[in-house]
Amino acid sequence: MKKSKFGVFTKTLIAFSAALIVLTISLTTATMTPLSEGFEAGGKTSYAAANVTLGTGSWFMDDALTGNLSTDRKTGAYSARIRNTGLMHMNFNKTGAGTVSIQHAVFGTDGPSTWQLWSSTNNGSTWTQVGLTVSTSSTTLQTANFTVNNANAIRFEIRKVSGGTNRINLDNVQIGDFSSPPPTSEHLTMGNPSNAVTNVAQPNNYLMEKPQYSMSYSRDNGGPNWVSWHLDSTWLGSAPRQDDFRADTTLPTGWYRVQGTDFSGSGFDRGHMCPSADRTITITANSSTFLMTNMIPQLPANNQGVWANLESYSRTLVSQGNELYIISGGQGLQYFIANGHVAVPAQTWKVIIVLPVGSNDVSRVTTSTRAIAVVMPNSGSIGSDWRAYRVSVDQVEAITGYDFFSNVSSGIQAVIEGQVDNQ
């Protein structure tokens, strides 16, 4: 019997759909073992943007190829070669990543370039920079190491960001498995926004953990990149304000320690990140907020006005039966004060998650959870209503490069971080 055209079409459509599903799975399925990519499969001979199948899976390469010339720096037959502002990224995920190491060198006799590692936990929809920008100037392969410590399905992208037509070789990309880190402070329950570590080799993303708050500190800027703290009723009491501004003696030896008097005559307040009034349970707790590592220069209109109003509102939320996870910092540079030791930010920002009091806080964050984010000019002509400066958490991430609330599932993050609070 003659087959109907409809039946043939239907079978063809089913076959096409099945193939599409297989392709989609191949591009997004997460691998769970350590990943090692040496580009030995080759297969991409031009700089034109295209996907290429390598040993670990499908990669996208733009202004990049797999090179096997004698002038390509490599440990085997091939390495990746990138020019201009080219990039390459995985089209698939890995289940969790602890560390990433990448070998790099200049191609042939080309001049120096810089490049960055970026990661995505939403299948490449958005990307966040990992660690610091790397400079490549050696003609022999050097190793750049990055700390990720992310348990989610994750993929990576390498971006060449300077050097023009100078080319660089990248080889032996190693992505180690994630292993659960030791318990962290309650103030990092929702995540470590910049993957800060307590390592003097990272002086501008140096993790400092106090009983009262945690922070990423910048030696070169003389202040915090961000300060993170948990606020609930157990932190609030009747201890008076101590006003004992002082240097933080726990900074590494040899680093400049900003003094309590360093802002004098500058016109800027010693602006608390973790507020004094958020730590009134004991005198010790309140005193801890007066360490200069917890301060950024804020103009009085910012610090004593709109910024203080949001701080007060946060404590009102606590009095209504909530607990908050708060992260704040400064962004942009106006100039330096304190004889060049302290950077004055152009803006101040803050992000807040609001939860009813409870336990297992990360698991209680849902797509209905309230997230507040603000970006405020560090100026003398700022308004007093903090609501006028509300933005989405995504917008704060875009200007800072940080990944807030990274311990929350990526699907929930995508919802609550993409909205602007309107309560």
Side-chain angles (χ1 to χ4, degrees):
M1 186 173 70
K2 185 178 180 180
K3 296 181 180 178
S4 70
K5 292 182 180 179
F6 177 77
V8 172
F9 173 78
T10 301
K11 290 182 178 180
T12 302
L13 181 60
I14 292 170
F16 174 77
S17 299
L20 182 60
I21 290 169
V22 171
L23 175 61
T24 302
I25 291 172
S26 71
L27 294 181
T28 60
T29 299
T31 60
M32 300 186 67
T33 57
L35 181 149
S36 179
E37 181 56 70
F39 305 98
E40 292 304 296
K44 191 168 187 298
T45 58
S46 77
Y47 286 108
N51 293 322
V52 58
T53 300
L54 300 173
T56 52
S58 174
W59 288 66
F60 173 76
M61 303 179 77
D62 184 11
D63 237 340
L65 52 74
T66 52
N68 64 348
L69 300 179
S70 60
T71 43
D72 282 298
R73 313 301 176 181
K74 52 193 182 296
T75 56
Y78 287 89
S79 62
R81 188 198 312 158
I82 306 179
R83 67 180 184 182
N84 300 321
T85 52
L87 59 83
M88 61 183 186
H89 64 234
M90 300 154 59
N91 288 325
F92 58 94
N93 297 324
K94 184 184 182 305
T95 301
T99 60
V100 176
S101 66
I102 303 171
Q103 291 193 304
H104 60 106
V106 298
F107 170 82
T109 58
D110 285 8
S113 300
T114 57
W115 56 276
Q116 299 167 344
L117 179 68
W118 291 67
S119 68
S120 174
T121 54
N122 55 11
N123 298 324
S125 294
T126 58
W127 298 87
T128 301
Q129 186 176 350
V130 179
L132 304 176
T133 299
V134 179
S135 179
T136 298
S137 58
S138 174
T139 55
T140 58
L141 289 170
Q142 307 294 309
T143 301
N145 295 301
F146 304 86
T147 301
V148 181
N149 285 340
N150 193 310
N152 297 312
I154 191 169
R155 63 182 62 183
F156 294 96
E157 179 173 89
I158 300 168
R159 303 179 182 177
K160 184 173 178 291
V161 294
S162 79
T165 57
N166 290 336
R167 294 153 293 183
I168 59 173
N169 286 123
L170 301 170
D171 205 359
N172 300 318
V173 177
Q174 307 277 343
I175 305 176
D177 284 342
F178 171 81
S179 58
S180 298
T184 58
S185 154
E186 68 177 279
H187 311 301
L188 295 178
T189 295
M190 295 296 166
N192 180 330
S194 61
N195 290 313
V197 292
T198 307
N199 184 339
V200 293
Q202 295 199 32
N204 295 310
N205 190 26
Y206 184 80
L207 180 65
M208 302 183 73
E209 296 194 78
K210 313 287 186 185
Q212 299 80 15
Y213 50 86
S214 297
M215 74 170 70
S216 164
Y217 187 80
S218 171
R219 178 198 64 190
D220 294 350
N221 286 338
N225 298 310
W226 51 261
V227 178
S228 180
W229 67 102
H230 179 220
L231 178 61
D232 63 11
S233 60
T234 66
W235 287 103
L236 303 177
S238 57
R241 181 182 170 97
Q242 296 303 296
D243 277 323
D244 53 344
F245 294 93
R246 64 199 185 279
D248 191 335
T249 58
T250 67
L251 285 169
T253 302
W255 290 18
Y256 181 78
R257 295 173 178 175
V258 178
Q259 303 297 303
T261 56
D262 271 347
F263 291 18
S264 298
S266 68
F268 291 93
D269 287 352
R270 295 166 292 192
H272 285 72
M273 291 295 90
C274 179
S276 162
D278 280 9
R279 294 293 182 257
T280 53
I281 190 63
T282 64
I283 288 177
T284 298
N286 186 264
S287 177
S288 74
T289 69
F290 289 89
L291 291 168
M292 292 302 291
T293 46
N294 184 43
M295 307 292 165
I296 65 172
Q298 288 178 266
L299 284 169
N302 181 303
N303 182 48
Q304 299 174 35
V306 62
W307 193 256
N309 291 340
L310 179 53
E311 291 175 341
S312 178
Y313 177 74
S314 298
R315 290 187 290 274
T316 298
L317 291 175
V318 171
S319 71
Q320 294 171 348
N322 296 297
E323 57 184 308
L324 279 59
Y325 288 92
I326 310 172
I327 312 166
S328 70
Q331 173 63 24
L333 174 65
Q334 296 192 52
Y335 47 83
F336 283 81
I337 60 173
N339 293 318
H341 291 298
V342 179
V344 177
Q347 300 169 308
T348 57
W349 56 264
K350 180 175 287 187
V351 295
I352 305 170
I353 273 185
V354 183
L355 291 170
V357 170
S359 57
N360 300 316
D361 293 346
V362 172
S363 64
R364 293 192 299 117
V365 179
T366 70
T367 54
S368 299
T369 296
R370 186 181 183 189
I372 303 170
V374 296
V375 176
M376 303 173 177
N378 192 14
S379 74
S381 57
I382 190 173
S384 60
D385 183 3
W386 64 266
R387 291 174 177 83
Y389 299 96
R390 286 182 290 191
V391 297
S392 68
V393 175
D394 279 345
Q395 288 173 277
V396 183
E397 289 185 334
I399 66 170
T400 61
Y402 302 143
D403 182 11
F404 301 115
F405 315 134
S406 58
N407 288 345
V408 176
S409 73
S410 57
I412 293 173
Q413 282 188 69
V415 175
I416 66 173
E417 294 184 1
Q419 301 172 343
V420 178
D421 176 67
N422 60 7
Q423 297 186 40

